[in-house]
Amino acid sequence: MAEQVTSVKDVFERHIPGRFQAKPDVVQKISAVYQFNISGPGGGVWTVDCTTPGGRIAEGHAPNAKCTVAATDADFLNIVNGKLNAQMAFMSGKLKIQGDMGLAMKLQQIL
């Protein structure tokens, strides 16, 4: 089983970059910019840019994001760690998506 991530910062600084390195073709296929608005004490705002070769992740707002994802820090970590189904989280309002829903579905490949 994959190593569990324990912080939102860890997701964006280690987990997603590791997925980008392991699957560079996925970054190219997605070819979009995401913004993550994670609330709570361990949250923050992050940009995941899949338009550049190898992808790029930065802390802060993405003015050109095609898809914005919002969740609490606890719910987001549960989704990434496989303890909470992303579709169920969306249906119950724990996960909010703005923008291109098709791009939101592609996120499962990198989370």
Side-chain angles (χ1 to χ4, degrees), residues 7-108:
S7 73
V8 171
K9 189 173 184 175
D10 201 28
V11 171
F12 293 103
E13 290 184 353
R14 280 189 334 112
H15 180 76
I16 295 176
R19 298 295 284 255
F20 281 178
Q21 285 182 331
K23 300 179 178 184
D25 57 315
V26 170
V27 175
Q28 190 175 0
K29 284 181 193 171
I30 293 174
S31 190
V33 178
Y34 295 89
Q35 179 173 307
F36 289 83
N37 298 330
I38 310 301
S39 61
V45 177
W46 295 84
T47 298
V48 175
D49 184 348
C50 295
T51 62
T52 60
R56 190 177 68 78
I57 299 167
E59 203 164 352
H61 293 274
N64 56 342
K66 299 270 187 254
C67 181
T68 301
V69 177
T72 66
D73 52 356
D75 288 337
F76 183 68
L77 287 174
N78 283 334
I79 291 167
V80 172
N81 287 320
K83 295 177 182 173
L84 177 62
N85 178 288
Q87 290 176 325
M88 294 303 293
F90 177 75
M91 299 292 243
S92 64
K94 292 181 177 186
L95 178 67
K96 294 178 177 50
I97 308 289
Q98 287 183 308
D100 190 328
M101 287 300 286
L103 290 175
M105 299 300 282
K106 292 181 180 182
L107 269 177
Q108 293 177 329

